Amino acid sequence: YALLVMLTGALDVRELLGEDVGTRAAFVLSQRIEAQCLADERVLSARATTTITQGRAVATVQVTDHDGVLRFTLAITDVSVEILKVF
């Protein structure tokens, strides 16, 4: 849970969420999410897949640590990061 809180407060993605962004922006955002997850020393691996539609990104993230796998989905806009689902 601490990772989710840290992640939601650390992403600055405003330049990636304009109406005219392409698939490169989704790739860059996925890379930023993975890097932010890996900044936590407990995380062994991180994988993110992101889609951007109408200025809103949805990222599905899988993080592995010594306790196992955590999967969650984030909704990201230029003003917020919201946890949609943890599974």
Side-chain angles (χ1 to χ4, degrees):
Y1 181 75
L3 174 66
L4 293 176
V5 172
M6 183 263 309
L7 184 61
T8 58
L11 291 173
D12 184 4
V13 297
R14 291 172 284 196
E15 78 278 5
L16 297 175
L17 295 178
E19 293 294 330
D20 59 347
V21 299
T23 55
R24 175 152 173 73
F27 173 77
V28 169
L29 182 53
S30 292
Q31 295 240 310
R32 287 185 186 181
I33 292 168
E34 290 172 5
Q36 191 63 44
C37 290
L38 291 169
D40 186 316
E41 65 276 355
R42 298 168 292 185
V43 174
L44 301 173
S45 67
R47 174 106 173 122
T49 304
T50 305
T51 58
I52 300 174
T53 307
Q54 298 178 358
R56 180 177 187 251
V58 175
T60 302
V61 184
Q62 178 174 307
V63 176
T64 304
D65 65 10
H66 291 290
D67 294 325
V69 176
L70 171 66
R71 292 183 196 98
F72 54 95
T73 302
L74 302 172
I76 306 163
T77 69
D78 59 346
V79 295
S80 69
V81 177
E82 176 185 359
I83 302 167
L84 296 179
K85 184 176 185 179
V86 177
F87 48 102

